[in-house]
């Protein structure tokens, strides 16, 4: 199983120095990808500008755009931004797309949540058409630049329920989920559901399955750090819900993180994304040490 690390853009105190330190550290570390997610009505830096910086500051890791809330954006603009990222990174981009769950973000973008599932399906089809050299409207020039990856970057769906997975199985290359509580049963159930959706759609290829969790390591009182971050991030869904999830956030020490990774790997997850709850570079240092020395569950002494 591959392990990626998100830039801590959702944590308070994110600066230029954070971008430089974390991009360079992630690229030099034992990781598969660097990523950055989208929120509009929050204190985080803008997603695609940050991902562009990550593409320029790294040479090796994939740049995972995780994820664009596609229905609230003009599709030609996203097509152009992601194609530009693909060129800037030398073909290292993977795109996550979803419908989002924050009405405030839609309102801030001058959009609505109406028919967002169908708009997501239509938007992905338009993305692929534009990346194939199509025009945004009749008589328009093609929407470049040409992607480095033939046909454009892989697209993963932020789909969870059976209906959303059934729709995604018609057009996605995989799924990008999340497990705030790093629950083994939940991760396994989600992986099984994704594979079943692909089978039901008659797909002969297996979906790439990505999940992840919030975590904190290497800082003073990592439990309090993780609780504060989780509450801050989820408060938009209500204070009671945010407090409940924050109090239960479990991944604030190395043993629990290793357990989450082992359980995800046993579930058949292809890539696990670690989302830090702090900008403190000591968190990244501790993560590098932990992952470098990790022996996946099931590896016997001879294999070690």
């Amino acid at each position: 199983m591959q392990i990626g690390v998100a830039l801590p853009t959702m944590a308070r105190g994110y600066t230029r120095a954070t971008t430089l330190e974390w991009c360079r550290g992630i690229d030099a570390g034992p990781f598969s990808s660097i990523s950055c997610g989208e929120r509009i009505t929050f204190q985080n830096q803008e997603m695609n500008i940050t991902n562009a910086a990550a593409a320029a500051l790294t040479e090796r890791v994939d740049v995972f755009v995780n994820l664009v809330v596609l229905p609230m954006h003009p599709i030609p603009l996203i097509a152009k931004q992601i194609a530009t990222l693909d060129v800037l990174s030398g073909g290292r981009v993977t795109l996550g797309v979803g419908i989002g769950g924050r009405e405030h973000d839609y309102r801030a973008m001058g959009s609505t949540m109406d028919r967002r599932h169908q708009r997501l399906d239509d938007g992905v089809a338009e993305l692929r058409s534009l990346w194939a050299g199509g025009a945004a409207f009749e008589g328009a020039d093609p929407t470049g630049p040409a992607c480095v990856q033939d046909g454009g970057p892989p697209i993963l769906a932020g789909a969870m329920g059976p209906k959303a997975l059934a729709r995604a199985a018609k057009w996605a290359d995989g799924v990008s989920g999340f497990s705030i509580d790093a629950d083994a049963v939940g991760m396994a159930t989600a992986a099984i559901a994704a594979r079943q959706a692909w089978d039901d759609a008659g797909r002969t290829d297996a979906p790439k399955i990505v999940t992840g969790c919030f975590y904190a390591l290497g800082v003073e009182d990592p439990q309090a750090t993780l609780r504060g971050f989780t509450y801050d991030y989820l408060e938009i869904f209500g204070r009671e819900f945010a407090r409940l999830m924050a109090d239960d956030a479990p991944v604030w020490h190395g043993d629990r993180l290793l357990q989450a990774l082992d359980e995800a790997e046993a579930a058949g997850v292809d890539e696990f994304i670690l989302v830090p709850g702090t900008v403190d570079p000591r968190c990244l240092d501790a993560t590098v040490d932990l992952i470098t020395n990790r022996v996946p569950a099931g590896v016997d002494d001879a294999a070690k």
Side-chain angles (χ1 to χ4, degrees):
M1 183 181 70
Q2 296 179 313
I3 300 170
V5 177
L7 290 169
T9 53
M10 301 298 174
R12 301 284 174 175
Y14 191 95
T15 65
R16 167 182 163 81
T18 312
T19 299
L20 295 173
E21 285 184 296
W22 283 73
C23 285
R24 290 165 180 167
I26 292 169
D27 202 39
F31 306 116
S32 53
S33 68
I34 190 169
S35 53
C36 176
E38 178 170 49
R39 286 191 68 170
I40 303 300
T41 58
F42 198 57
Q43 52 80 31
N44 61 296
Q45 295 188 1
E46 197 278 329
M47 177 180 63
N48 279 326
I49 292 176
T50 305
N51 279 320
L57 289 168
T58 60
E59 297 290 342
R60 182 188 61 82
V61 292
D62 289 341
V63 179
F64 184 18
V65 183
N66 189 30
L67 49 70
V68 174
V69 181
L70 201 60
M72 70 182 187
H73 294 283
I75 302 304
L77 176 60
I78 297 299
K80 196 171 193 74
Q81 288 175 332
I82 300 304
T84 301
L85 274 176
D86 201 46
V87 174
L88 186 60
S89 68
R92 291 182 285 130
V93 170
T94 295
L95 172 63
V97 296
I99 59 169
R102 301 178 185 88
E103 191 263 346
H104 285 189
D105 282 356
Y106 275 85
R107 287 178 61 188
M109 294 294 289
S111 185
T112 73
M113 300 177 84
D114 296 343
R115 299 178 58 254
R116 55 187 174 148
H117 291 278
Q118 185 61 53
R119 288 158 59 199
L120 174 62
D121 295 348
D122 295 344
V124 170
E126 187 176 356
L127 278 179
R128 295 198 189 279
S129 173
L130 294 171
W131 288 339
F137 56 88
E138 186 175 354
D141 291 334
T143 303
C147 294
V148 173
Q149 298 180 79
D150 187 28
I155 298 178
L156 306 186
M160 293 179 289
K163 291 182 179 180
L165 284 169
R167 299 177 80 114
K170 297 177 182 178
W171 49 257
D173 298 297
V175 294
S176 178
F178 200 72
S179 179
I180 292 176
D181 57 359
D183 177 66
V185 174
M187 290 189 290
T189 300
I192 291 169
R195 295 189 192 97
Q196 186 62 55
W198 257 240
D199 289 344
D200 292 345
R203 298 279 294 262
T204 58
D205 58 328
K208 179 174 182 178
I209 298 174
V210 178
T211 191
C213 70
F214 297 147
Y215 82 108
L217 292 179
V219 297
E220 289 86 3
D221 202 346
Q223 184 176 21
T225 296
L226 182 60
R227 281 177 172 171
F229 169 79
T230 303
Y231 181 86
D232 199 26
Y233 187 80
L234 295 176
E235 187 181 11
I236 191 171
F237 297 117
R239 292 181 178 179
E240 183 176 352
F241 172 77
R243 178 57 59 200
L244 178 65
M245 298 304 295
D247 287 346
D248 289 341
V251 188
W252 49 268
H253 58 88
D255 288 345
R256 185 62 181 87
L257 178 52
L258 290 173
Q259 177 187 337
L261 294 174
D262 288 345
E263 290 171 347
E265 191 159 21
V269 170
D270 296 300
E271 185 174 22
F272 196 94
I273 307 298
L274 301 173
V275 181
T278 176
V279 301
D280 193 323
R282 292 178 298 174
C283 179
L284 181 58
D285 293 341
T287 307
V288 169
D289 290 343
L290 189 77
I291 302 305
T292 299
N293 295 309
R294 174 180 180 255
V295 177
V299 176
D300 58 26
D301 290 339
K304 295 177 187 177

